Amino acid sequence: MHYCRNQDHFLNNLRQVNEQAGVDKQVVDIMVAFARLKIEHYKTLDFFPNFIPNSDPIILKFLDKNRHINRRAARFLSAYFYEIHQRGLCCILNSAHLAHLLQIDFDKLIQLSSDTKAHYVRFHIPKYNGQPRKIDSPKPELKKIQRKILDIILHRVPLNSHAEGYVRHKSILSNAHRHVGKGVVIRMDISDFFPSITFPRVIGTFEELGYPLNVAELLGNLTSHEGRLPIGAPTSPAISNIVCRRMDKRFARLGQKCGFSYSRYADDIAVSGHNLQLNQMIPFFHSIINEEGFAVNHSKTVVMRNAKRQKITGVVVNQKTNAPREEIRKLRAVIHNCFKNGTVSEMRKWAISEKNCRENKYSQSKFRSSLLGRINYVRLLNPKKGMQLLKQFNQLEFNV
């Protein structure tokens, strides 16, 4: 058993010594992965621990499937399996094992991971400021694999409780609840959130979870595009939340010490409290974001005091969570104009003002879905007003 003081130095030496000794690379990858897990949790390392809960049915099943290997190797692999299992994650021993879990031919999986340009479709959608946002959407074959990675691996990773975006049972409403009735609310934005998470960082994230390097590299190739996390891949939101765990932890702990609330909804960071001098900490908040490998969009840093409207991810939080008044008024006006002038006329206006696209490229079906989505947004925040709008909406006739 060894006590480790410099983790990176020890892991690098462990890899070099075993590679020079001619140990199989995949075995070395598992050794390093196991060492990382043990050192981070216990600060000590024993490759062949005396105690492994062999009575655990999961461990017994693992050992039964690997009866062909010798006892010493089985003891080590079961110890590694146990460490992964203890964290609630799926054990993946190598790239071939990953292909088996994803139910795909190994050569096909390698082909999907190595020729990413052929497996993505690029298009653009307008941002709120009218500028185009680049979307790289995986084609069906790769998207299917990414969804399996999401289910088998990413959804099992525990997140910081202050992460509100892309998390089951959480929403813009649960995010806003943290900041209701505060004297001051500060909103900050991360620039190019997904693209700023690079391919090496994605690999490092999978390694930190405890996966061998060859597995982490393959997962990184399958979930990255052109060296970055793509906007449009189903795995990108979950990976971004895992990457942000340390930043969320730093903000949350600082909030406990300094008396402020913190939440993060994707790239939208919110801090609130009753101390009206909280804005003096903004430079420190920005430095934390920068230290965690992100850039702050300074133009979107906003300080909102309770004398004026405070809004987080589109939700008003001054006294209670509510939809913005102008949104309710706008939807009332649109529905009224639909009755007065017809849905076709209003659809054309909506295409230009809300979707920033040509009216001849917009359909009544899209208009109906978009309008209904906005009404449901209001209904989430203000059920009474939302139901009034929905009742009027249901009386409209669309040529779908």
Side-chain angles (χ1 to χ4, degrees), residues 41-58:
H41 194 271
Y42 307 106
K43 303 299 180 184
T44 58
L45 174 63
D46 185 356
F47 285 106
F48 304 99
N50 292 323
F51 172 73
I52 298 174
N54 291 331
S55 59
D56 188 319
I58 300 292

Side-chain angles (χ1 to χ4, degrees), residues 119-176:
H119 302 292
Y120 280 86
V121 175
R122 176 168 294 176
F123 58 92
H124 296 83
I125 60 173
K127 299 181 183 179
Y128 284 110
N129 59 10
Q131 295 296 315
R133 183 190 301 277
K134 183 177 70 174
I135 306 295
D136 288 312
S137 180
K139 292 181 181 179
E141 196 170 28
L142 178 58
K143 183 176 286 189
K144 181 181 178 181
I145 294 300
Q146 290 178 342
R147 291 195 185 282
K148 287 185 177 181
I149 292 171
L150 196 61
D151 293 336
I152 293 172
I153 302 171
L154 300 175
H155 276 166
R156 299 187 182 191
V157 179
L159 300 174
N160 187 281
S161 62
H162 294 259
E164 295 283 349
Y166 315 125
V167 180
R168 290 172 179 172
H169 310 302
K170 292 191 176 186
S171 66
I172 57 172
L173 190 59
S174 63
N175 179 57

Side-chain angles (χ1 to χ4, degrees), residues 47-49 52 54 59 62-82 93:
F47 285 106
F48 304 99
I52 298 174
N54 291 331
I59 299 295
F62 173 81
L63 291 171
D64 183 61
K65 286 186 175 181
N66 292 276
R67 285 178 294 176
H68 58 285
I69 58 178
N70 63 58
R71 285 187 64 183
R72 183 174 171 84
R75 189 175 164 196
F76 163 62
L77 289 176
S78 59
Y80 171 66
F81 180 90
Y82 178 70
L93 298 175

